[in-house]
């Protein structure tokens, strides 16, 4: 497992043990190997905030067109049109503009009461039981209901859709995700809902996307093709479930480990929005993205050749003391988190970030209202085995 000669530091996104706590390794990468090369999997990696931030902004050099996940870039498979996160401008801008209509600030604000209702529905049955699983009982429930409602997926089908989206990202221990060998799923599972919406329009994203007219990259004014529609709905469904589920799981674990800060949130809920930002920074649900390097780049006295795969270690950058002084490895709900990179920056800034923040804030408010004290049962907790996102599959807690 040779890497660069100067250091014995080794990083591997498929190493389950390493990913259980990647932060000591991230710190070593930042300090010893700010440009890291992994010979075994043939990728480069950047870990310092300034470098990751600059690369995310430079889509001309660091392209998303072959995918944003290392194994997809390596597989060089066709990417269906409409997978926003795997596109560069100008096509990315056209697709993004279409989807951004679905996530306007007004539409997000209007969801607040409904999100609170979903939280109440998920949490109330556990009051007085002394137990709460932050994933099974709330993290995997509420985001699924919200995105299902936004898309127009009937309630009885929402769990199946969520499980399908999660399955797309799942990996066997130490192995790349299936899409690299089998190709990306075009979202056929959503076909029946789209056909139904053609006949029965409603106030949801699917109906809006069915009827929207736009000028494509050739200047032609048209509606979305069926393939584009399926892909859009697939992307929104997966993205809308995963990050918020992970955020709620990390809130359970990190606040259990910082009970004094948790008590401050109970006493003063106005601190919760900043606590959500600090949780997103401290335990980044998607700790890395990958890019295809379109030209030779000089970094730290070395040349990264055109055609290379570059991993941008967002989880490492989010803890860089150069940006988050004095110590990025310390959790502090009072920290000025400034611009953490959890939702990316520039062209690929996350369209659903306002929704994720809203869901995170309301979930924390409602959890802390009912369960001001808890301890996590780590012996029964399980990390989710994916190489793209990092978080808990089960996180049982003892509540008081």
């Amino acid at each position: 497992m040779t890497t660069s000669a100067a250091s014995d530091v080794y990083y591997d996104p498929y190493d389950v043990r390493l990913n259980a706590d990647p932060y000591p390794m991230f710190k070593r990468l930042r300090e010893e190997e700010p440009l890291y090369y992994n010979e075994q999997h043939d990728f480069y990696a950047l870990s310092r905030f300034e470098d990751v931030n600059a690369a995310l902004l430079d889509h001309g050099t660091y392209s998303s067109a072959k995918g944003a996940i290392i194994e997809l870039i390596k597989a060089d498979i066709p990417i269906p049109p409409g997978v926003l996160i795997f596109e560069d401008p100008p096509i990315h801008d056209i697709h993004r503009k279409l989807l951004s209509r679905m996530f306007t600030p007004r539409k997000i604000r209007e969801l607040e009461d409904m999100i609170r209702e979903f939280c109440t529905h998920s949490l109330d049955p556990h009051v007085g039981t002394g137990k709460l699983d932050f994933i099974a009982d709330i993290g995997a429930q509420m985001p699924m209901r919200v995105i299902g409602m936004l898309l127009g997926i009937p309630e009885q089908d929402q769990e199946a859709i969520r499980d399908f989206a999660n399955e797309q990202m799942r990996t066997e221990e130490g192995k790349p995700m299936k899409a690299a060998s089998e190709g990306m799923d075009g979202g056929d599972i959503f076909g029946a809902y789209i056909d139904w919406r053609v006949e029965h329009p409603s106030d949801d994203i699917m109906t809006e996307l069915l009827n929207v007219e736009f000028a494509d990259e050739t200047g032609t004014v048209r509606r979305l093709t069926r393939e584009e529609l399926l892909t859009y709905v697939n992307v929104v469904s997966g993205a809308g479930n995963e990050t918020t589920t992970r955020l709620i799981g990390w809130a359970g674990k990190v606040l259990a480990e910082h009970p004094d800060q948790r008590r401050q949130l109970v006493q003063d809920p106005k601190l919760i929005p900043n606590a959500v930002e600090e949780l997103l920074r401290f335990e980044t649900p998607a700790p890395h993205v990958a890019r295809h390097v379109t030209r030779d780049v000089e970094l730290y006295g070395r040349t990264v050749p055109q055609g290379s795969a570059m991993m941008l270690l967002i989880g490492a950058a989010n803890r860089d003391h150069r940006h988050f002084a004095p110590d990025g490895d310390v959790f502090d709900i009072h920290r000025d988190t400034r611009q953490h990179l959890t939702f990316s920056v520039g062209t690929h800034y996350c369209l659903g970030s306002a929704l994720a923040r809203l869901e995170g804030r309301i979930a924390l408010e409602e959890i802390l209202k009912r369960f001001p004290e808890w301890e996590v049962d780590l012996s029964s907790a399980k990390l989710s085995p994916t190489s793209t996102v990092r978080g808990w599959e089960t996180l049982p807690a003892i509540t008081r």
Side-chain angles (χ1 to χ4, degrees), residues 235-265:
V235 168
V236 172
S237 166
N241 273 307
E242 191 67 41
T243 313
T244 312
T245 300
R246 302 294 159 228
L247 166 62
I248 292 169
W250 286 119
K253 178 168 186 288
V254 174
L255 292 175
E257 290 167 349
H258 298 82
D260 293 352
Q261 295 190 58
R262 181 180 62 200
R263 283 176 203 123
Q264 289 178 47
L265 296 177

Side-chain angles (χ1 to χ4, degrees), residues 66 148 195 336 340 382:
K66 287 179 181 284
D195 296 341
D336 173 9
H340 61 70
K382 217 164 78 192

Side-chain angles (χ1 to χ4, degrees), residues 3-4 23 28 52 95 107 144 161 183 237 261 272 274 290 319 326 332 374:
T3 58
S4 316
Y23 297 107
R28 287 192 64 194
V52 173
H95 289 148
K107 283 187 180 170
M144 166 192 75
I161 293 292
S237 166
Q261 295 190 58
I272 289 175
N274 201 64
R319 292 203 180 192
D332 178 8
W374 69 80

Side-chain angles (χ1 to χ4, degrees), residues 84-127:
L84 275 181
I85 51 174
F86 300 164
E87 293 178 333
D88 292 327
I91 187 114
H92 170 273
D93 298 346
I94 292 164
H95 289 148
R96 184 184 176 90
K97 201 169 161 192
L98 278 178
L99 265 191
S100 64
R101 301 178 191 192
M102 322 299 154
F103 292 99
T104 62
R106 180 183 61 80
K107 283 187 180 170
I108 300 300
R109 275 196 309 275
E110 285 171 357
L111 293 171
E112 175 144 2
D113 290 347
M114 204 158 288
I115 294 170
R116 210 172 285 283
E117 198 181 304
F118 289 146
C119 286
T120 299
H121 179 75
S122 296
L123 293 168
D124 276 356
H126 304 284
V127 174

Side-chain angles (χ1 to χ4, degrees), residues 31-50:
E31 303 315 313
E32 297 172 35
E33 288 285 318
L35 173 65
Y36 170 77
Y37 177 65
N38 180 304
E39 218 169 76
Q40 187 189 358
H41 297 298
D42 183 28
F43 68 82
Y44 289 86
L46 292 170
S47 50
R48 291 183 179 175
F49 185 93
E50 199 177 326

Side-chain angles (χ1 to χ4, degrees), residues 104-328:
T104 62
R106 180 183 61 80
K107 283 187 180 170
I108 300 300
R109 275 196 309 275
E110 285 171 357
L111 293 171
E112 175 144 2
D113 290 347
M114 204 158 288
I115 294 170
R116 210 172 285 283
E117 198 181 304
F118 289 146
C119 286
T120 299
H121 179 75
S122 296
L123 293 168
D124 276 356
H126 304 284
V127 174
T129 64
K131 314 196 287 285
L132 180 74
D133 188 312
F134 276 82
I135 301 300
D137 299 332
I138 174 77
Q141 296 299 320
M142 180 268 285
M144 166 192 75
R145 298 266 175 256
V146 174
I147 210 71
M149 176 199 67
L150 273 176
L151 281 171
I153 305 289
E155 195 168 324
Q156 67 272 20
D157 296 348
Q158 287 171 0
E159 291 206 18
I161 293 292
R162 177 200 63 205
D163 295 343
F164 163 79
N166 288 349
E167 191 56 36
Q168 295 288 293
M169 296 193 230
R170 181 166 295 277
T171 51
E172 284 180 56
E173 188 164 320
K175 290 188 185 161
M177 63 195 285
K178 284 188 307 203
S181 53
E182 298 172 14
M184 287 188 62
D185 195 289
D188 292 341
I189 191 170
F190 297 103
Y193 305 117
I194 286 171
D195 296 341
W196 167 258
R197 280 288 169 247
V198 171
E199 303 296 324
H200 308 87
S202 176
D203 180 20
D204 56 39
I205 288 179
M206 221 178 296
T207 304
E208 248 183 273
L209 287 174
L210 269 167
N211 297 308
V212 73
E213 292 199 332
F214 69 105
D216 69 14
E217 65 279 15
T218 66
T220 309
V221 175
R222 62 179 181 87
R223 290 188 175 180
L224 290 165
T225 65
R226 181 181 175 82
E227 187 195 15
E228 286 171 328
L229 253 172
L230 287 169
T231 305
Y232 263 37
V233 174
N234 196 9
V235 168
V236 172
S237 166
N241 273 307
E242 191 67 41
T243 313
T244 312
T245 300
R246 302 294 159 228
L247 166 62
I248 292 169
W250 286 119
K253 178 168 186 288
V254 174
L255 292 175
E257 290 167 349
H258 298 82
D260 293 352
Q261 295 190 58
R262 181 180 62 200
R263 283 176 203 123
Q264 289 178 47
L265 296 177
V266 172
Q267 286 157 9
D268 185 1
K270 288 198 294 299
L271 298 172
I272 289 175
N274 201 64
V276 168
E277 295 305 313
E278 178 67 346
L279 283 162
L280 287 164
R281 179 199 72 82
F282 187 72
E283 286 288 8
T284 310
H288 47 71
V289 292
R291 296 287 188 262
H292 170 73
V293 182
T294 61
R295 61 178 180 87
D296 287 2
V297 186
E298 294 296 319
L299 288 162
Y300 294 97
R302 288 153 65 199
T303 301
V304 176
Q306 177 182 346
S308 299
M310 176 67 81
M311 289 196 78
L312 305 175
L313 303 178
I314 290 169
N318 272 345
R319 292 203 180 192
D320 189 347
H321 67 87
R322 295 163 191 82
H323 193 78
F324 299 103
D327 186 347

